[in-house]
Amino acid sequence: CFLLAISLFLNAQNYDESKAGVYTVPEALVLENGKKVKGAKDWEAKRRPEVVALFEKHVYGRMPGPPTHFAFRLLREDKQAMAGKAHLKEVEISVGNGVEEAKINVVMFTPAFAKKKVPLFLLINNRSARNTAPERDTLSGFWPAEQVLAAGYGIAAFQVADAAPDNKEHYREGVLRLFPETASAPDGMKAIGAWAWTAGRVLDYLEKDNEVNGKQVIVVGHSRGGKTSLWAAALDPRFAMCISNNSGNTGAKLSRRNFGETVQRINTSFPHWFADNYQAYNGRESDLPVDQHLLLAAIAPRPLYVTNATKDLWADPKGTYLALQLAQPVFNLYPEQSRLPARQPEPDQPYIAKPLGYHNRTGKHDMTYYDWEQFVRFADLYFK
Ligand code: GTR
């Protein structure tokens, strides 16, 4: 009973602004050797690779390159989907290393009347596959394909379970079978790394699809999927835009700010998400050589849209907006200048501008029609 009380105390999450703590985050524009980053070239040649390597080593785990075997086949096609408005494709991607093979299923719709290759939203789906069912018998705001198509975009999704089952007993059963060394290495990727790696493989396919503009693929994720969309975009510059919805801890929120979910809590609840090395930072966020603003910065200069929900304090809306602000100087090394408001935008007052956008939706932890409406508005700034 005493031990239980102690552990509840240690695991208690703070929701009191006055206890969010005082902290200094690693500087975006200073190299580990203390030298200043002089401009975009310096950022790209030196600091960005350093930042990505630090996230690999300490947080998400090392990322393997593309697989030695890659193939895809069309499982099903319907040119008359959605009452003739859409072209449906179900594609199976196979990735292998010569010994092991894993299969990723992709569902995608493109507008039937598109005159040229379309920009496309790719969802890393961590929720029920019903949300992305090709039959469209469960319509939900989590993946509002009809609305997204009507706006002139394609939409696709894959299930995280194909890439790595989301549980600590079985996460190795997907693409991680191709990389046996990663399973035991302290800096080996686990489920979130595997999901991000797989998003890159789906992009490999999308680049070959003759209805999709491979240079206009937007990677989208919610919550654990939103942590993954950030990591996928940071790693793979071919993603043209990133959307991270309610991503919270080890997503878009500052780890050092003591508010909502902590590193210890996430590593304890989800020991199969991050590299084993990350466990060393349980209760020691300030010792991390990175904080999450650097992950956002690694996406620059590509457009990034981040969201929160007012009732989702677990994901720390304020700490998320702060991270976005701290990433801004890196985006501003490039010609397209970001001018985020000094104060976090009020609930339901989306800030939609190039290259950084943000909103805090009234309501709970979820991804909804409202959220997607803003994603489309943000994407329209670039692709319309
Ligand atoms: C929670 C977890 C969050 C977030 C969320 C989700 O339990 O603590 O970090 O990932 O799950 O994915 O919905």
Side-chain angles (χ1 to χ4, degrees), residues 290-352:
V290 288
D291 208 313
Q292 296 303 118
H293 63 304
L294 296 177
L295 181 66
L296 309 183
I299 296 169
R302 290 163 294 146
L304 167 65
Y305 194 84
V306 170
T307 79
N308 287 115
T310 54
K311 292 193 177 147
D312 184 16
L313 295 180
W314 184 244
D316 188 11
K318 186 168 174 198
T320 301
Y321 193 67
L322 284 171
L324 202 59
Q325 287 179 314
L326 287 164
Q328 179 169 267
V330 175
F331 285 80
N332 286 349
L333 295 173
Y334 296 85
E336 196 170 84
Q337 297 291 296
S338 168
R339 308 227 182 279
L340 287 170
R343 283 180 54 121
Q344 180 179 12
E346 293 299 319
D348 306 324
Q349 300 290 314
Y351 178 73
I352 296 178

Side-chain angles (χ1 to χ4, degrees), residues 223-224 227 261 266 270 273 314 365:
S223 202
R224 64 198 71 185
K227 309 180 205 295
E261 190 174 25
I266 204 167
F270 307 101
W273 280 0
W314 184 244
H365 183 70

Side-chain angles (χ1 to χ4, degrees), residues 68 157 166 178 246 305 331 364:
T68 49
D166 191 1
L178 276 51
N246 299 190
Y305 194 84
F331 285 80
K364 65 181 175 61

Side-chain angles (χ1 to χ4, degrees), residues 135-281:
E135 299 77 23
R136 308 308 295 145
D137 51 357
T138 316
L139 300 182
S140 106
F142 201 76
W143 198 69
E146 287 72 11
Q147 286 77 358
V148 170
L149 257 77
Y153 292 82
I155 189 165
F158 74 92
Q159 285 297 123
V160 297
D162 286 355
D166 191 1
N167 87 49
K168 65 175 192 274
E169 259 76 58
H170 299 286
Y171 74 95
R172 294 184 195 81
E173 288 165 19
V175 300
L176 285 168
R177 287 184 296 115
L178 276 51
F179 308 103
E181 76 289 356
T182 201
S184 48
D187 64 347
M189 70 172 184
K190 293 190 172 184
I192 288 197
W195 302 340
W197 183 85
T198 300
R201 307 297 65 82
V202 176
L203 181 53
D204 293 343
Y205 165 73
L206 292 170
E207 286 187 321
K208 296 189 172 71
D209 188 291
N210 51 26
E211 280 158 298
V212 177
N213 185 335
K215 295 196 163 57
Q216 299 183 339
V217 175
I218 305 157
V219 63
V220 187
H222 163 69
S223 202
R224 64 198 71 185
K227 309 180 205 295
T228 312
S229 66
L230 293 170
W231 183 225
L235 290 163
D236 195 332
R238 294 174 304 159
F239 284 113
M241 179 180 286
C242 177
I243 291 169
S244 182
N245 192 69
N246 299 190
S247 63
N249 190 283
T250 322
K253 132 186 190 46
L254 286 180
S255 299
R256 280 169 176 73
R257 208 179 102 86
N258 176 31
F259 197 98
E261 190 174 25
T262 61
V263 168
Q264 169 160 353
R265 181 64 190 260
I266 204 167
N267 274 330
T268 308
S269 312
F270 307 101
H272 61 290
W273 280 0
F274 308 107
D276 285 342
N277 279 348
Y278 197 38
Q279 300 272 354
Y281 299 97

